[in-house]
Amino acid sequence: MFQYAFGRVLANRSGEETRYDLSWFSREPNRAFGLDAFACEVGSIDGRKARRMSRENWLTRLVGLKPKLTRVEECPENVYNARLMDLHDSYVRGYFQVAAYYEPIREELLSHFALRDVPERARWLADEMQSCESVSLHVRRGDYLKLKNIYCVCDKDYYRQALGFACDGLHTPRIFVFSDDLDWCRGNLRLPAKTDFVMPLAMVRPELDMYLMSNCRRHIIANSS
């Protein structure tokens, strides 16, 4: 979603077409392309072709040829860089998780990220969340447990303190727990209010978890984009 949004920023500013290299998904068996669930059109380009068009080697330098596309890496990652917003004819790689890039086109992106289809059960639960003092609580474990050297896993103390902040001032808070490990949540989190453990939809339609969380009034999130 961040990469799509950054592509929209570039397209709007340059007037050029943005295409996306989706070849990563063919190499990552545990992840699937999911933007087709939203009301956005994602033009793609063959990954090998894009890399070939941006490749420079000793032979091209020797004969004075320049690549058709300039290869650009977001560096450092997730830090606002105004120069990246004025790129032309480039093959750009990065995460672009910086809100400042997107404020000028916020309304456009909200329309692009509207879901094409929301099941009746999800709509009903969203209405429940909107009608009460709802707090979404998200616990990510799963692959994070194998990546502790890269991402710390939010512990019980983090959620205890976060619940204190999130529920402060609410008369009858209602907590909606989202997680890839609900059994751990039931056994380890002390939840101070009425709680609904939302059956994970992410394995089938991950965008529905995000949709439901967005309907809550307050949020406790894991350290995850």
Side-chain angles (χ1 to χ4, degrees):
M1 293 177 76
F2 285 106
Q3 292 162 334
Y4 171 81
F6 192 74
R8 291 307 313 157
V9 170
L10 294 183
N12 287 354
R13 289 177 66 89
S14 69
E16 299 172 356
E17 183 182 12
T18 297
R19 290 189 172 273
Y20 298 85
D21 175 4
L22 306 180
S23 60
W24 179 83
F25 293 100
S26 65
R27 303 189 299 273
E28 180 54 59
N30 296 320
R31 295 292 179 91
F33 178 73
L35 286 182
D36 48 6
F38 299 98
C40 56
E41 302 297 332
V42 183
S44 63
I45 187 172
D46 180 86
R48 288 174 296 181
K49 179 181 179 181
R51 290 188 290 274
R52 185 170 63 249
M53 292 172 66
S54 65
R55 185 173 295 127
E56 185 179 29
N57 54 39
W58 68 269
L59 180 58
T60 57
R61 290 193 295 270
L62 180 66
V63 299
L65 292 177
K66 292 186 178 180
K68 293 182 179 180
L69 299 176
T70 301
R71 185 172 293 203
V72 179
E73 297 276 347
E74 180 196 23
C75 185
E77 292 179 349
N78 306 325
V79 174
Y80 181 80
N81 183 346
R83 289 180 297 177
L84 291 180
M85 299 178 71
D86 292 315
L87 295 174
H88 297 270
D89 300 319
S90 301
Y91 179 60
V92 191
R93 292 167 54 91
Y95 293 103
F96 314 109
Q97 296 177 359
V98 182
Y101 287 133
Y102 311 121
E103 285 302 326
I105 62 167
R106 174 181 168 82
E107 295 305 315
E108 176 187 341
L109 290 175
L110 287 174
S111 66
H112 287 200
F113 289 143
L115 289 178
R116 296 182 187 272
D117 172 61
V118 179
E120 186 62 31
R121 167 65 182 172
R123 290 185 185 277
W124 176 86
L125 191 52
D127 289 341
E128 283 281 299
M129 294 169 170
Q130 293 177 16
S131 67
C132 65
E133 294 182 310
S134 52
V135 178
S136 75
L137 187 153
H138 177 239
V139 179
R140 179 172 177 176
R141 290 174 61 78
D143 58 343
Y144 263 32
L145 298 179
K146 301 176 183 178
L147 300 170
K148 290 182 179 180
N149 59 322
I150 302 176
Y151 308 108
C152 67
V153 179
C154 296
D155 58 17
K156 290 183 284 186
D157 189 56
Y158 165 80
Y159 287 106
R160 179 186 60 78
Q161 293 186 60
L163 283 163
F165 285 116
C167 295
D168 184 45
L170 299 181
H171 295 292
T172 55
R174 183 174 172 185
I175 301 167
F176 293 85
V177 179
F178 297 81
S179 178
D180 53 8
D181 192 347
L182 287 179
D183 288 339
W184 184 90
C185 297
R186 291 188 180 96
N188 290 274
L189 297 180
R190 297 181 62 183
L191 302 170
K194 180 179 180 181
T195 300
D196 296 75
F197 292 90
V198 182
M199 291 302 295
L201 301 168
M203 296 300 291
V204 180
R205 292 191 57 185
E207 70 278 0
L208 290 180
D209 276 2
M210 189 186 310
Y211 164 77
L212 289 172
M213 281 187 268
S214 75
N215 281 278
C216 291
R217 299 190 182 188
R218 297 185 179 183
H219 307 277
I220 299 170
I221 62 175
N223 55 331
S224 165
S225 60

